Amino acid sequence: MRQELMSLPKGLADDVARNLVMVAQLIDEDPEKAYGYSRVALRLASRVAAVREAAGFAAYANQKYSEALAEFRAARRMSGGVDLWPVMADCERGLGRPERALAMAGEPEVQKLDKAGQVEMRLVAAGARRDMGQLEAAIVTLQSPELASSANHPWTARLRYAYADALLAAGREQEAREWFAKALEADKDGATDASDRLAELDGVEFVDAFDESDDEAEDRDDAEAGVDGDEADEADDAEDDGDAHADADEDDERR
């Protein structure tokens, strides 16, 4: 990216770089704001592949799949690389075209991907199979040497998780539980919710020690007690006033 930006005038390159940095920082926690920064970068330098790629990921994070696909295609034309092939296929899924995603999974570009890219493509293809209601085919698609490997790679947890989820969708609960456990074992960064899925399968229910409803009930009781107390005080005051008036009348009569 730095080399691409060097082709721009220095001031412009700095502005573009600042916006791309903000996209990278915000895309997970605030995708909408990241999208805004990507649009600024795109207006400043639409002929830079890294800018088109960043704009694509920002649109993808906001489920703007048609826009994301257009940006990824532009970035690929400019760079000539194949790294974006899996996410482009996933955009086709997002657009409701799983058959196109499957077609892309069989293209020669897949063979040019590195191992991580090929695993990502396998995940997309399995997702497309599930979109089409082909659960058993999705399971078979995920069965691979990468899934069987005991080595832990950045993509291992997600691959095992996807396999477990497909098994569960097919009604193979015991096998699913086994693979959710394997996904959790590999998930050092908490990238999946495998622990929650395991707990759900085991029938474990987490109870919040701080139950807000109890406090709310106590507040209501206190409030009602306060109202009752006020009403009682008012009644006592009225009674005292009545006694005072009665005493005054008796004094008048004696006079």
Side-chain angles (χ1 to χ4, degrees), residues 10 12 14 27 51-52 62 80 86 94 98 106 113 137 170 231 241 254:
K10 187 178 186 310
L12 179 58
D14 290 342
I27 197 164
V51 171
R52 303 304 288 266
N62 285 276
L113 293 168
E231 291 174 351
D241 289 343
R254 282 197 293 272

Side-chain angles (χ1 to χ4, degrees), residues 145-202:
E146 294 81 18
L147 180 67
S149 174
S150 59
N152 197 1
H153 299 282
W155 36 260
T156 300
R158 289 178 58 239
L159 181 59
R160 293 177 180 178
Y161 183 94
Y163 188 59
D165 196 44
L167 288 168
L168 187 60
R172 295 159 63 174
E173 187 172 309
Q174 190 55 43
E175 293 173 86
R177 193 204 176 284
E178 176 188 344
W179 281 97
F180 277 128
K182 290 182 178 181
L184 180 60
E185 181 184 335
D187 193 1
K188 306 303 181 186
D189 300 323
T192 72
D193 64 346
S195 60
D196 293 339
R197 301 298 296 276
L198 269 175
E200 185 180 342
L201 285 172
D202 291 340

Side-chain angles (χ1 to χ4, degrees), residues 74-95:
R76 183 168 176 266
R77 283 195 302 271
M78 294 174 183
S79 67
V82 296
D83 293 349
L84 296 173
W85 197 252
V87 72
M88 288 169 62
D90 205 40
C91 285
E92 295 287 5
R93 285 186 61 212
L95 290 168

Side-chain angles (χ1 to χ4, degrees), residues 111-246:
Q111 303 306 315
K112 300 175 186 177
L113 293 168
D114 61 14
K115 182 60 68 178
Q118 290 181 3
V119 170
E120 195 64 37
M121 193 70 241
R122 190 177 292 276
L123 288 168
V124 173
R129 291 289 186 190
R130 291 189 62 174
D131 294 342
M132 298 168 71
Q134 301 172 2
L135 291 177
E136 290 299 330
I139 291 170
V140 172
T141 299
L142 292 168
Q143 292 170 347
S144 61
E146 294 81 18
L147 180 67
S149 174
S150 59
N152 197 1
H153 299 282
W155 36 260
T156 300
R158 289 178 58 239
L159 181 59
R160 293 177 180 178
Y161 183 94
Y163 188 59
D165 196 44
L167 288 168
L168 187 60
R172 295 159 63 174
E173 187 172 309
Q174 190 55 43
E175 293 173 86
R177 193 204 176 284
E178 176 188 344
W179 281 97
F180 277 128
K182 290 182 178 181
L184 180 60
E185 181 184 335
D187 193 1
K188 306 303 181 186
D189 300 323
T192 72
D193 64 346
S195 60
D196 293 339
R197 301 298 296 276
L198 269 175
E200 185 180 342
L201 285 172
D202 291 340
V204 177
E205 183 177 350
F206 295 102
V207 178
D208 192 345
F210 179 75
D211 192 340
E212 208 171 296
S213 60
D214 290 342
D215 282 352
E216 289 175 356
E218 288 180 11
D219 290 342
R220 281 197 302 273
D221 291 342
D222 291 343
E224 289 171 2
V227 170
D228 292 343
D230 290 343
E231 291 174 351
D233 289 342
E234 289 176 4
D236 290 341
D237 291 342
E239 187 176 344
D240 290 342
D241 289 343
D243 292 342
H245 287 308

